[in-house]
Amino acid sequence: MSVFRVSSLLGLCLFLPTLALAQTSSDAGRSSGPKSLLPATVNSGSASEASTDRSVTTGGIVIGQLDAPGEAAAGLLGPSSGGLGLGLWEGSSAGIVHALYGRMPNHHASPAARDLARRLLLSIGTPPSGSDSAALLGQRMTLLITMGEADSAVALAEAASSGDLNNPAYSRPLADALLLSGDVKRACDLVGTQVRGGSRDFWQRASVFCDLQAGRRPDADLTRTILNETGRSSAVFDDLADAMADDVAVELEDAAQLSPLHLAMFRLGQKATLKSLAGLAPAIAARLATMPRLTTPLRLEAGISALRAGTLQPAAVTLILGAPDADLNADDFRQAAVAFARAEGKLARAEAMLAMWTVALSRGDAPVAAALASTALEHLLPSVDLAFLAPAAFRMHLLNGDRDRARGWLELLRRRAASGEREAVMAQTAILPLAQVSGIDPANNRRLGNWRDANPAGEGADRQWHRILLLMDAVGRPVTEALWTDALQSPARDEASAGLAETDAALWRQLVLASGAGRTGEAVQAALALIGPAGPGALDPLALASIVGSLRRLGLAPVAERLAVEALIATEAVRSGE
Protein backbone atom coordinates (compact mmCIF):
# COMPACT_ATOMS: atom_id res chain seq x y z
CA MET A 1 0.00 0.00 0.00
CA SER A 2 1.36 3.44 -0.94
CA VAL A 3 2.48 6.03 1.60
CA PHE A 4 -0.45 8.19 0.60
CA ARG A 5 -3.13 5.54 1.01
CA VAL A 6 -2.06 4.70 4.55
CA SER A 7 -2.37 8.33 5.58
CA SER A 8 -5.54 9.16 3.67
CA LEU A 9 -8.04 6.40 4.41
CA LEU A 10 -9.04 7.87 7.76
CA GLY A 11 -9.64 11.29 6.29
CA LEU A 12 -11.99 10.24 3.52
CA CYS A 13 -15.23 10.97 5.38
CA LEU A 14 -13.94 14.35 6.50
CA PHE A 15 -12.92 15.47 2.99
CA LEU A 16 -15.88 14.29 0.90
CA PRO A 17 -18.44 16.87 2.15
CA THR A 18 -16.10 19.70 1.18
CA LEU A 19 -15.44 18.49 -2.35
CA ALA A 20 -17.86 20.81 -4.15
CA LEU A 21 -16.72 23.83 -2.15
CA ALA A 22 -13.05 23.04 -2.69
CA GLN A 23 -13.46 22.64 -6.43
CA THR A 24 -15.51 25.84 -6.73
CA SER A 25 -12.96 27.81 -4.74
CA SER A 26 -10.04 26.34 -6.65
CA ASP A 27 -11.68 27.07 -9.99
CA ALA A 28 -12.32 30.67 -9.04
CA GLY A 29 -8.69 31.14 -8.10
CA ARG A 30 -7.33 29.63 -11.28
CA SER A 31 -9.39 31.02 -14.11
CA SER A 32 -12.64 32.68 -14.96
CA GLY A 33 -13.14 30.26 -17.84
CA PRO A 34 -11.48 27.61 -20.02
CA LYS A 35 -8.06 28.63 -21.33
CA SER A 36 -7.38 28.31 -25.02
CA LEU A 37 -4.59 25.96 -26.05
CA LEU A 38 -3.95 27.82 -29.27
CA PRO A 39 -1.14 30.35 -29.74
CA ALA A 40 -2.15 33.98 -29.37
CA THR A 41 -1.81 34.51 -33.12
CA VAL A 42 -4.51 31.93 -33.72
CA ASN A 43 -6.89 33.36 -31.16
CA SER A 44 -6.73 36.98 -32.22
CA GLY A 45 -6.65 38.97 -35.41
CA SER A 46 -7.81 38.02 -38.86
CA ALA A 47 -7.65 34.56 -40.37
CA SER A 48 -4.85 35.61 -42.67
CA GLU A 49 -2.81 36.93 -39.75
CA ALA A 50 -3.31 33.71 -37.84
CA SER A 51 -1.81 31.61 -40.62
CA THR A 52 1.19 33.72 -41.59
CA ASP A 53 3.81 31.98 -39.47
CA ARG A 54 2.68 28.63 -38.12
CA SER A 55 5.14 25.80 -38.51
CA VAL A 56 6.51 22.72 -36.78
CA THR A 57 9.86 21.01 -37.16
CA THR A 58 9.63 17.23 -37.50
CA GLY A 59 12.44 14.91 -38.50
CA GLY A 60 14.56 17.91 -39.44
CA ILE A 61 11.91 19.28 -41.83
CA VAL A 62 10.05 22.52 -41.17
CA ILE A 63 6.40 21.95 -42.02
CA GLY A 64 4.12 24.92 -42.48
CA GLN A 65 0.57 24.64 -41.20
CA LEU A 66 -2.15 25.22 -43.77
CA ASP A 67 -5.31 27.15 -43.06
CA ALA A 68 -7.69 24.89 -41.21
CA PRO A 69 -10.53 23.34 -43.25
CA GLY A 70 -11.90 21.28 -40.32
CA GLU A 71 -10.75 18.50 -38.04
CA ALA A 72 -10.44 15.57 -40.43
CA ALA A 73 -9.19 17.55 -43.42
CA ALA A 74 -6.66 19.57 -41.43
CA GLY A 75 -2.99 18.91 -42.04
CA LEU A 76 0.49 20.31 -42.14
CA LEU A 77 1.55 19.00 -45.56
CA GLY A 78 0.07 20.30 -48.79
CA PRO A 79 0.62 18.81 -52.26
CA SER A 80 3.74 20.92 -52.79
CA SER A 81 5.38 20.06 -49.45
CA GLY A 82 5.21 16.26 -49.33
CA GLY A 83 1.49 15.75 -48.79
CA LEU A 84 -0.28 12.93 -50.60
CA GLY A 85 -2.75 15.22 -52.36
CA LEU A 86 -6.01 16.92 -51.49
CA GLY A 87 -7.98 14.05 -53.00
CA LEU A 88 -6.21 11.24 -51.16
CA TRP A 89 -9.52 10.06 -49.63
CA GLU A 90 -11.64 10.51 -52.75
CA GLY A 91 -13.84 7.45 -53.30
CA SER A 92 -12.97 5.86 -49.93
CA SER A 93 -15.51 4.57 -47.44
CA ALA A 94 -15.52 6.26 -44.03
CA GLY A 95 -15.83 2.93 -42.22
CA ILE A 96 -12.87 1.44 -44.06
CA VAL A 97 -10.67 4.48 -43.41
CA HIS A 98 -11.47 4.34 -39.68
CA ALA A 99 -10.81 0.60 -39.61
CA LEU A 100 -7.50 0.87 -41.48
CA TYR A 101 -6.22 3.56 -39.12
CA GLY A 102 -6.93 1.07 -36.37
CA ARG A 103 -4.77 -1.54 -38.14
CA MET A 104 -1.75 0.68 -38.73
CA PRO A 105 1.25 -0.06 -36.46
CA ASN A 106 2.18 2.28 -33.61
CA HIS A 107 5.77 2.54 -34.78
CA HIS A 108 7.93 1.47 -37.73
CA ALA A 109 11.33 -0.21 -37.87
CA SER A 110 11.42 0.69 -41.58
CA PRO A 111 12.65 4.24 -42.27
CA ALA A 112 10.74 4.27 -45.57
CA ALA A 113 7.48 3.13 -43.96
CA ARG A 114 7.96 5.65 -41.16
CA ASP A 115 8.37 8.53 -43.60
CA LEU A 116 5.33 7.38 -45.57
CA ALA A 117 3.22 7.12 -42.40
CA ARG A 118 4.25 10.62 -41.35
CA ARG A 119 3.27 12.00 -44.75
CA LEU A 120 -0.09 10.25 -44.61
CA LEU A 121 -0.92 11.43 -41.10
CA LEU A 122 0.13 15.02 -41.74
CA SER A 123 -1.41 15.40 -45.21
CA ILE A 124 -4.25 17.80 -45.72
CA GLY A 125 -7.13 16.25 -47.61
CA THR A 126 -10.90 16.16 -47.75
CA PRO A 127 -12.08 13.17 -45.67
CA PRO A 128 -14.55 10.59 -46.98
CA SER A 129 -18.20 11.61 -46.69
CA GLY A 130 -19.93 10.38 -43.56
CA SER A 131 -16.73 10.11 -41.56
CA ASP A 132 -16.47 11.16 -37.94
CA SER A 133 -14.16 14.16 -38.34
CA ALA A 134 -13.16 14.39 -34.68
CA ALA A 135 -12.55 10.64 -34.40
CA LEU A 136 -10.35 10.69 -37.53
CA LEU A 137 -8.30 13.54 -36.12
CA GLY A 138 -7.93 11.65 -32.84
CA GLN A 139 -6.74 8.53 -34.65
CA ARG A 140 -4.16 10.51 -36.61
CA MET A 141 -2.89 12.26 -33.49
CA THR A 142 -2.63 9.00 -31.55
CA LEU A 143 -0.54 7.38 -34.29
CA LEU A 144 1.73 10.42 -34.50
CA ILE A 145 2.28 10.31 -30.74
CA THR A 146 3.23 6.65 -30.68
CA MET A 147 5.61 7.32 -33.59
CA GLY A 148 7.42 9.89 -31.47
CA GLU A 149 5.83 12.87 -33.25
CA ALA A 150 4.18 14.53 -30.24
CA ASP A 151 4.97 18.05 -31.45
CA SER A 152 3.40 17.25 -34.82
CA ALA A 153 0.30 15.90 -33.09
CA VAL A 154 -0.11 19.18 -31.18
CA ALA A 155 0.40 21.19 -34.37
CA LEU A 156 -2.17 19.02 -36.15
CA ALA A 157 -4.74 19.75 -33.44
CA GLU A 158 -4.00 23.45 -33.75
CA ALA A 159 -4.37 23.27 -37.54
CA ALA A 160 -7.92 22.05 -36.92
CA SER A 161 -8.71 25.28 -35.09
CA SER A 162 -12.27 25.32 -36.40
CA GLY A 163 -12.91 22.35 -34.09
CA ASP A 164 -13.23 22.21 -30.31
CA LEU A 165 -9.94 21.17 -28.72
CA ASN A 166 -11.93 19.86 -25.76
CA ASN A 167 -13.69 17.32 -27.96
CA PRO A 168 -13.33 13.92 -26.19
CA ALA A 169 -12.30 12.28 -29.47
CA TYR A 170 -8.98 14.10 -29.48
CA SER A 171 -8.57 15.97 -26.20
CA ARG A 172 -6.98 12.87 -24.67
CA PRO A 173 -4.32 12.43 -27.39
CA LEU A 174 -3.71 16.18 -27.21
CA ALA A 175 -3.05 15.88 -23.47
CA ASP A 176 -0.71 12.93 -24.09
CA ALA A 177 1.18 14.90 -26.73
CA LEU A 178 1.60 17.94 -24.48
CA LEU A 179 2.76 15.78 -21.56
CA LEU A 180 5.26 13.92 -23.75
CA SER A 181 6.60 17.21 -25.07
CA GLY A 182 7.04 18.53 -21.53
CA ASP A 183 4.55 21.36 -22.08
CA VAL A 184 3.13 21.10 -18.57
CA LYS A 185 1.37 24.46 -18.52
CA ARG A 186 -0.73 23.84 -21.61
CA ALA A 187 -1.38 20.24 -20.62
CA CYS A 188 -2.65 21.31 -17.21
CA ASP A 189 -4.81 24.04 -18.75
CA LEU A 190 -6.50 21.31 -20.78
CA VAL A 191 -6.77 19.02 -17.76
CA GLY A 192 -8.38 21.79 -15.71
CA THR A 193 -10.96 22.45 -18.41
CA GLN A 194 -11.83 18.77 -18.64
CA VAL A 195 -12.14 18.27 -14.88
CA ARG A 196 -14.33 21.35 -14.51
CA GLY A 197 -16.51 19.91 -17.25
CA GLY A 198 -17.04 16.73 -15.27
CA SER A 199 -14.51 14.40 -16.95
CA ARG A 200 -13.22 11.63 -14.70
CA ASP A 201 -10.69 8.76 -14.64
CA PHE A 202 -7.65 9.82 -16.71
CA TRP A 203 -8.45 13.50 -16.25
CA GLN A 204 -8.69 13.16 -12.48
CA ARG A 205 -5.38 11.30 -12.37
CA ALA A 206 -3.83 13.99 -14.54
CA SER A 207 -5.22 16.65 -12.20
CA VAL A 208 -3.26 15.04 -9.34
CA PHE A 209 -0.07 15.56 -11.34
CA CYS A 210 -1.02 19.14 -12.18
CA ASP A 211 -1.91 19.98 -8.58
CA LEU A 212 1.31 18.44 -7.21
CA GLN A 213 3.58 20.20 -9.68
CA ALA A 214 1.80 23.49 -8.91
CA GLY A 215 2.14 23.03 -5.14
CA ARG A 216 -1.57 22.37 -4.49
CA ARG A 217 -1.00 19.37 -2.25
CA PRO A 218 -4.44 19.41 -0.49
CA ASP A 219 -6.26 19.33 -3.84
CA ALA A 220 -4.06 16.47 -5.04
CA ASP A 221 -4.57 14.51 -1.80
CA LEU A 222 -8.34 14.88 -2.01
CA THR A 223 -8.47 13.61 -5.60
CA ARG A 224 -6.13 10.73 -4.79
CA THR A 225 -8.38 9.68 -1.94
CA ILE A 226 -11.40 9.54 -4.23
CA LEU A 227 -9.49 7.68 -6.95
CA ASN A 228 -8.22 5.05 -4.54
CA GLU A 229 -11.57 4.49 -2.85
CA THR A 230 -13.37 4.12 -6.18
CA GLY A 231 -10.76 1.77 -7.63
CA ARG A 232 -9.65 4.13 -10.38
CA SER A 233 -6.00 4.41 -9.40
CA SER A 234 -3.11 2.02 -10.01
CA ALA A 235 0.10 0.93 -8.31
CA VAL A 236 2.29 2.75 -10.84
CA PHE A 237 0.28 5.95 -10.49
CA ASP A 238 0.33 5.79 -6.67
CA ASP A 239 4.09 5.15 -6.55
CA LEU A 240 4.82 8.07 -8.85
CA ALA A 241 2.45 10.36 -6.96
CA ASP A 242 4.27 9.43 -3.73
CA ALA A 243 7.61 10.22 -5.40
CA MET A 244 6.31 13.64 -6.44
CA ALA A 245 4.49 14.50 -3.21
CA ASP A 246 6.88 13.17 -0.56
CA ASP A 247 10.18 12.90 -2.44
CA VAL A 248 10.37 9.19 -1.60
CA ALA A 249 12.39 6.62 -3.53
CA VAL A 250 10.29 4.25 -5.65
CA GLU A 251 11.39 1.61 -8.16
CA LEU A 252 8.97 0.85 -10.97
CA GLU A 253 8.79 -2.84 -11.83
CA ASP A 254 6.99 -2.75 -15.18
CA ALA A 255 8.14 -0.17 -17.71
CA ALA A 256 5.55 -1.43 -20.19
CA GLN A 257 2.85 0.32 -18.15
CA LEU A 258 4.39 3.78 -18.50
CA SER A 259 2.11 6.28 -20.22
CA PRO A 260 2.75 9.94 -21.11
CA LEU A 261 1.17 10.93 -17.78
CA HIS A 262 3.41 8.51 -15.90
CA LEU A 263 6.42 9.88 -17.75
CA ALA A 264 5.53 13.44 -16.71
CA MET A 265 5.25 12.27 -13.09
CA PHE A 266 8.52 10.32 -13.40
CA ARG A 267 10.30 13.47 -14.58
CA LEU A 268 9.31 15.38 -11.44
CA GLY A 269 9.63 12.47 -9.00
CA GLN A 270 13.37 12.80 -8.73
CA LYS A 271 13.84 9.60 -6.69
CA ALA A 272 11.79 7.39 -9.00
CA THR A 273 13.80 4.72 -10.83
CA LEU A 274 13.15 1.92 -13.31
CA LYS A 275 14.06 -1.71 -12.66
CA SER A 276 14.18 -2.54 -16.38
CA LEU A 277 13.04 -1.21 -19.74
CA ALA A 278 11.39 -4.40 -20.98
CA GLY A 279 8.27 -3.66 -23.01
CA LEU A 280 8.80 0.09 -22.92
CA ALA A 281 6.81 1.99 -25.57
CA PRO A 282 9.20 3.55 -28.15
CA ALA A 283 7.77 7.06 -27.70
CA ILE A 284 8.42 6.83 -23.94
CA ALA A 285 11.88 5.31 -24.54
CA ALA A 286 12.84 8.34 -26.62
CA ARG A 287 12.12 10.70 -23.72
CA LEU A 288 13.88 8.52 -21.13
CA ALA A 289 16.99 8.38 -23.32
CA THR A 290 17.43 12.13 -22.90
CA MET A 291 16.79 12.16 -19.13
CA PRO A 292 20.13 13.04 -17.45
CA ARG A 293 19.37 11.49 -14.07
CA LEU A 294 19.16 7.94 -15.47
CA THR A 295 22.33 5.85 -15.71
CA THR A 296 24.14 5.91 -19.02
CA PRO A 297 23.58 2.18 -19.75
CA LEU A 298 19.85 2.63 -19.14
CA ARG A 299 19.72 5.73 -21.34
CA LEU A 300 21.63 3.94 -24.09
CA GLU A 301 19.29 0.96 -23.95
CA ALA A 302 16.32 3.30 -24.21
CA GLY A 303 18.00 5.28 -26.99
CA ILE A 304 18.78 2.26 -29.16
CA SER A 305 15.23 0.97 -28.62
CA ALA A 306 13.80 4.33 -29.66
CA LEU A 307 16.14 4.65 -32.64
CA ARG A 308 15.12 1.17 -33.78
CA ALA A 309 11.48 2.31 -33.81
CA GLY A 310 12.29 5.72 -35.30
CA THR A 311 11.12 7.74 -32.30
CA LEU A 312 14.55 9.31 -31.61
CA GLN A 313 17.08 11.00 -33.86
CA PRO A 314 20.53 9.35 -34.31
CA ALA A 315 22.33 12.45 -33.00
CA ALA A 316 20.75 12.00 -29.57
CA VAL A 317 21.96 8.39 -29.37
CA THR A 318 25.42 9.41 -30.57
CA LEU A 319 25.74 11.78 -27.61
CA ILE A 320 24.99 8.93 -25.20
CA LEU A 321 27.48 6.64 -26.98
CA GLY A 322 30.22 9.12 -26.22
CA ALA A 323 29.77 8.87 -22.43
CA PRO A 324 32.66 7.20 -20.52
CA ASP A 325 30.46 4.44 -19.07
CA ALA A 326 28.36 3.76 -22.19
CA ASP A 327 29.80 0.27 -22.67
CA LEU A 328 28.90 -1.00 -19.19
CA ASN A 329 26.73 -4.12 -19.39
CA ALA A 330 26.25 -3.50 -23.12
CA ASP A 331 25.30 -6.20 -25.60
CA ASP A 332 27.41 -6.87 -28.69
CA PHE A 333 25.70 -4.26 -30.85
CA ARG A 334 25.87 -1.49 -28.25
CA GLN A 335 29.54 -2.32 -27.65
CA ALA A 336 30.20 -2.05 -31.39
CA ALA A 337 28.31 1.24 -31.52
CA VAL A 338 30.31 2.62 -28.59
CA ALA A 339 33.57 1.57 -30.26
CA PHE A 340 32.47 3.36 -33.43
CA ALA A 341 31.59 6.54 -31.52
CA ARG A 342 35.01 6.53 -29.82
CA ALA A 343 37.08 5.76 -32.91
CA GLU A 344 39.35 8.56 -34.11
CA GLY A 345 40.85 9.06 -37.53
CA LYS A 346 39.40 8.20 -40.93
CA LEU A 347 40.65 4.63 -41.16
CA ALA A 348 39.81 3.74 -37.55
CA ARG A 349 36.29 5.14 -37.92
CA ALA A 350 35.73 3.22 -41.15
CA GLU A 351 36.88 -0.04 -39.54
CA ALA A 352 34.69 0.52 -36.49
CA MET A 353 31.76 1.42 -38.75
CA LEU A 354 32.15 -1.84 -40.65
CA ALA A 355 32.33 -3.80 -37.39
CA MET A 356 29.11 -2.15 -36.16
CA TRP A 357 27.40 -2.82 -39.49
CA THR A 358 28.40 -6.50 -39.43
CA VAL A 359 26.95 -7.01 -35.96
CA ALA A 360 23.81 -5.10 -36.95
CA LEU A 361 23.23 -7.33 -39.99
CA SER A 362 23.39 -10.45 -37.85
CA ARG A 363 20.60 -9.19 -35.60
CA GLY A 364 18.35 -7.39 -38.07
CA ASP A 365 19.42 -3.89 -37.06
CA ALA A 366 20.80 -2.69 -40.38
CA PRO A 367 18.68 0.52 -40.44
CA VAL A 368 19.86 1.36 -36.91
CA ALA A 369 23.53 1.03 -37.84
CA ALA A 370 22.98 3.04 -41.01
CA ALA A 371 21.32 5.81 -39.03
CA LEU A 372 24.12 5.93 -36.45
CA ALA A 373 26.74 6.00 -39.19
CA SER A 374 24.95 8.58 -41.35
CA THR A 375 26.84 11.72 -40.31
CA ALA A 376 30.29 10.10 -40.34
CA LEU A 377 29.51 8.32 -43.60
CA GLU A 378 28.68 11.59 -45.33
CA HIS A 379 32.23 12.77 -44.60
CA LEU A 380 33.91 9.62 -45.91
CA LEU A 381 34.62 9.84 -49.62
CA PRO A 382 35.09 6.67 -51.71
CA SER A 383 38.82 6.03 -51.95
CA VAL A 384 41.23 3.14 -52.47
CA ASP A 385 42.21 2.97 -48.80
CA LEU A 386 38.52 2.61 -47.86
CA ALA A 387 37.64 0.03 -50.51
CA PHE A 388 36.95 -2.54 -47.77
CA LEU A 389 34.00 -0.37 -46.64
CA ALA A 390 32.42 -0.01 -50.10
CA PRO A 391 29.78 -2.82 -49.92
CA ALA A 392 28.59 -1.71 -46.48
CA ALA A 393 28.75 2.00 -47.31
CA PHE A 394 26.69 1.39 -50.45
CA ARG A 395 23.98 -0.39 -48.46
CA MET A 396 23.96 2.14 -45.62
CA HIS A 397 23.57 5.08 -47.99
CA LEU A 398 20.65 3.30 -49.67
CA LEU A 399 18.98 2.71 -46.31
CA ASN A 400 19.45 6.39 -45.50
CA GLY A 401 17.88 7.36 -48.81
CA ASP A 402 21.06 8.85 -50.29
CA ARG A 403 21.32 7.34 -53.77
CA ASP A 404 23.95 9.79 -55.04
CA ARG A 405 26.50 8.88 -52.36
CA ALA A 406 25.63 5.19 -52.75
CA ARG A 407 26.47 5.46 -56.45
CA GLY A 408 29.98 6.74 -55.63
CA TRP A 409 30.76 3.66 -53.53
CA LEU A 410 29.35 1.38 -56.24
CA GLU A 411 31.67 2.93 -58.80
CA LEU A 412 34.66 2.40 -56.49
CA LEU A 413 33.69 -1.24 -56.07
CA ARG A 414 33.38 -1.71 -59.82
CA ARG A 415 36.80 -0.22 -60.46
CA ARG A 416 38.32 -2.64 -57.95
CA ALA A 417 36.42 -5.55 -59.50
CA ALA A 418 37.58 -4.55 -63.01
CA SER A 419 41.17 -4.73 -61.79
CA GLY A 420 40.63 -8.38 -60.93
CA GLU A 421 40.31 -8.25 -57.14
CA ARG A 422 38.42 -11.42 -56.20
CA GLU A 423 36.72 -9.99 -53.11
CA ALA A 424 35.57 -6.94 -55.06
CA VAL A 425 34.12 -9.18 -57.79
CA MET A 426 32.17 -11.17 -55.19
CA ALA A 427 30.93 -8.04 -53.46
CA GLN A 428 29.89 -6.43 -56.74
CA THR A 429 27.90 -9.52 -57.69
CA ALA A 430 26.19 -9.58 -54.29
CA ILE A 431 24.89 -6.01 -54.63
CA LEU A 432 23.71 -6.28 -58.25
CA PRO A 433 20.05 -6.78 -57.28
CA LEU A 434 20.15 -3.80 -54.93
CA ALA A 435 21.67 -1.58 -57.62
CA GLN A 436 18.97 -2.52 -60.13
CA VAL A 437 15.95 -2.54 -57.83
CA SER A 438 16.94 0.88 -56.46
CA GLY A 439 17.29 2.31 -59.95
CA ILE A 440 20.95 3.25 -59.53
CA ASP A 441 21.75 0.76 -62.29
CA PRO A 442 19.54 0.33 -65.35
CA ALA A 443 17.88 -3.06 -65.67
CA ASN A 444 20.45 -5.58 -66.91
CA ASN A 445 19.28 -9.17 -67.15
CA ARG A 446 22.75 -10.54 -67.84
CA ARG A 447 24.07 -9.06 -64.61
CA LEU A 448 21.11 -10.38 -62.64
CA GLY A 449 21.87 -13.77 -64.18
CA ASN A 450 25.37 -13.46 -62.75
CA TRP A 451 23.85 -13.13 -59.28
CA ARG A 452 21.86 -16.32 -59.82
CA ASP A 453 24.98 -18.13 -61.07
CA ALA A 454 26.75 -17.14 -57.86
CA ASN A 455 23.76 -18.28 -55.78
CA PRO A 456 22.74 -21.72 -57.07
CA ALA A 457 19.57 -23.55 -56.12
CA GLY A 458 18.82 -23.88 -52.42
CA GLU A 459 16.01 -22.82 -50.15
CA GLY A 460 17.48 -19.44 -49.16
CA ALA A 461 18.82 -18.64 -52.63
CA ASP A 462 15.57 -19.67 -54.35
CA ARG A 463 13.45 -17.52 -52.09
CA GLN A 464 15.74 -14.52 -52.55
CA TRP A 465 15.76 -15.06 -56.32
CA HIS A 466 11.96 -15.01 -56.42
CA ARG A 467 11.95 -11.90 -54.24
CA ILE A 468 14.40 -10.13 -56.59
CA LEU A 469 12.43 -10.94 -59.74
CA LEU A 470 9.12 -9.95 -58.17
CA LEU A 471 10.59 -6.65 -56.99
CA MET A 472 12.01 -5.91 -60.41
CA ASP A 473 8.49 -6.30 -61.77
CA ALA A 474 7.05 -4.22 -58.93
CA VAL A 475 9.38 -1.25 -59.43
CA GLY A 476 8.59 -1.23 -63.16
CA ARG A 477 11.77 -2.91 -64.49
CA PRO A 478 10.54 -6.38 -65.47
CA VAL A 479 13.10 -9.04 -66.34
CA THR A 480 13.14 -11.39 -69.33
CA GLU A 481 11.19 -14.62 -69.55
CA ALA A 482 14.49 -16.52 -69.43
CA LEU A 483 15.09 -15.45 -65.84
CA TRP A 484 11.53 -16.32 -64.86
CA THR A 485 11.99 -19.72 -66.52
CA ASP A 486 14.82 -20.39 -64.09
CA ALA A 487 12.56 -19.35 -61.22
CA LEU A 488 9.81 -21.70 -62.43
CA GLN A 489 12.22 -24.60 -62.10
CA SER A 490 12.70 -23.87 -58.39
CA PRO A 491 10.32 -25.73 -56.07
CA ALA A 492 7.81 -23.81 -53.97
CA ARG A 493 9.01 -23.08 -50.45
CA ASP A 494 7.16 -22.84 -47.17
CA GLU A 495 7.35 -19.14 -46.26
CA ALA A 496 6.30 -19.83 -42.67
CA SER A 497 9.42 -21.96 -42.19
CA ALA A 498 11.53 -18.90 -43.08
CA GLY A 499 10.00 -16.87 -40.27
CA LEU A 500 8.04 -14.63 -42.63
CA ALA A 501 4.78 -13.06 -41.52
CA GLU A 502 1.55 -14.55 -42.80
CA THR A 503 -0.19 -12.10 -45.12
CA ASP A 504 -3.50 -10.75 -43.87
CA ALA A 505 -5.97 -11.52 -46.67
CA ALA A 506 -8.35 -8.66 -45.83
CA LEU A 507 -5.56 -6.07 -45.81
CA TRP A 508 -4.06 -7.43 -49.03
CA ARG A 509 -7.46 -7.30 -50.74
CA GLN A 510 -7.99 -3.71 -49.60
CA LEU A 511 -4.55 -2.72 -50.87
CA VAL A 512 -5.24 -4.19 -54.31
CA LEU A 513 -8.73 -2.69 -54.60
CA ALA A 514 -7.74 0.76 -53.31
CA SER A 515 -4.58 1.08 -55.41
CA GLY A 516 -6.39 -0.14 -58.51
CA ALA A 517 -9.09 2.52 -58.03
CA GLY A 518 -6.56 5.28 -57.27
CA ARG A 519 -7.66 5.69 -53.64
CA THR A 520 -4.27 6.85 -52.41
CA GLY A 521 -4.87 7.35 -48.70
CA GLU A 522 -6.67 4.04 -48.28
CA ALA A 523 -3.98 2.14 -50.23
CA VAL A 524 -1.20 3.69 -48.14
CA GLN A 525 -3.07 2.76 -44.96
CA ALA A 526 -3.38 -0.86 -46.10
CA ALA A 527 0.28 -0.97 -47.21
CA LEU A 528 1.51 0.32 -43.84
CA ALA A 529 -0.73 -2.12 -41.97
CA LEU A 530 0.65 -5.01 -44.04
CA ILE A 531 4.26 -3.92 -43.52
CA GLY A 532 3.66 -3.75 -39.78
CA PRO A 533 6.15 -2.64 -37.13
CA ALA A 534 8.87 -5.11 -38.18
CA GLY A 535 9.39 -3.71 -41.68
CA PRO A 536 9.30 -5.13 -45.23
CA GLY A 537 11.96 -7.75 -44.61
CA ALA A 538 9.43 -9.80 -42.64
CA LEU A 539 6.93 -9.98 -45.53
CA ASP A 540 6.50 -12.89 -47.89
CA PRO A 541 7.67 -12.00 -51.43
CA LEU A 542 4.17 -11.80 -52.94
CA ALA A 543 2.85 -9.38 -50.33
CA LEU A 544 6.03 -7.32 -50.59
CA ALA A 545 5.76 -7.07 -54.38
CA SER A 546 2.08 -6.12 -54.12
CA ILE A 547 2.91 -3.26 -51.76
CA VAL A 548 5.85 -1.98 -53.81
CA GLY A 549 3.93 -2.20 -57.10
CA SER A 550 0.83 -0.54 -55.66
CA LEU A 551 2.78 2.39 -54.27
CA ARG A 552 4.67 2.86 -57.54
CA ARG A 553 1.44 2.95 -59.53
CA LEU A 554 0.08 5.59 -57.15
CA GLY A 555 3.02 7.87 -57.99
CA LEU A 556 5.07 6.96 -54.89
CA ALA A 557 7.98 5.31 -56.72
CA PRO A 558 10.78 6.65 -54.46
CA VAL A 559 9.27 5.22 -51.28
CA ALA A 560 8.40 1.99 -53.13
CA GLU A 561 12.04 1.57 -54.16
CA ARG A 562 13.27 2.29 -50.62
CA LEU A 563 10.96 -0.39 -49.23
CA ALA A 564 12.27 -2.85 -51.82
CA VAL A 565 15.86 -2.03 -50.90
CA GLU A 566 15.16 -2.43 -47.19
CA ALA A 567 13.60 -5.83 -47.80
CA LEU A 568 16.52 -7.07 -49.89
CA ILE A 569 19.13 -5.91 -47.36
CA ALA A 570 17.19 -7.49 -44.51
CA THR A 571 16.96 -10.82 -46.30
CA GLU A 572 20.17 -11.15 -48.29
CA ALA A 573 22.84 -13.59 -47.17
CA VAL A 574 25.93 -12.14 -45.49
CA ARG A 575 28.90 -13.45 -47.47
CA SER A 576 32.54 -13.63 -46.58
CA GLY A 577 34.67 -11.01 -48.25
CA GLU A 578 32.00 -8.29 -48.23
Side-chain angles (χ1 to χ4, degrees), residues 23-62:
Q23 288 182 326
T24 301
S25 174
S26 180
D27 291 348
R30 289 178 200 146
S31 172
S32 59
K35 295 183 180 179
S36 171
L37 294 174
L38 297 176
T41 54
V42 179
N43 285 318
S44 62
S46 68
S48 60
E49 290 171 343
S51 61
T52 54
D53 187 24
R54 294 182 292 159
S55 62
V56 60
T57 301
T58 172
I61 302 173
V62 177

Side-chain angles (χ1 to χ4, degrees), residues 331-341 343 346-363 365-366 369-370 372-373 380 388-390 392-393 396 574 578:
D331 61 19
D332 55 349
F333 178 67
R334 291 202 293 271
Q335 287 179 353
V338 170
F340 165 65
K346 182 178 74 170
L347 188 59
R349 294 221 79 186
E351 291 172 342
M353 185 185 296
L354 180 59
M356 177 178 67
W357 170 254
T358 302
V359 175
L361 277 182
S362 68
R363 48 186 283 156
D365 273 335
L372 288 174
L380 289 178
F388 66 91
L389 185 63
M396 285 190 277
V574 180
E578 287 193 47

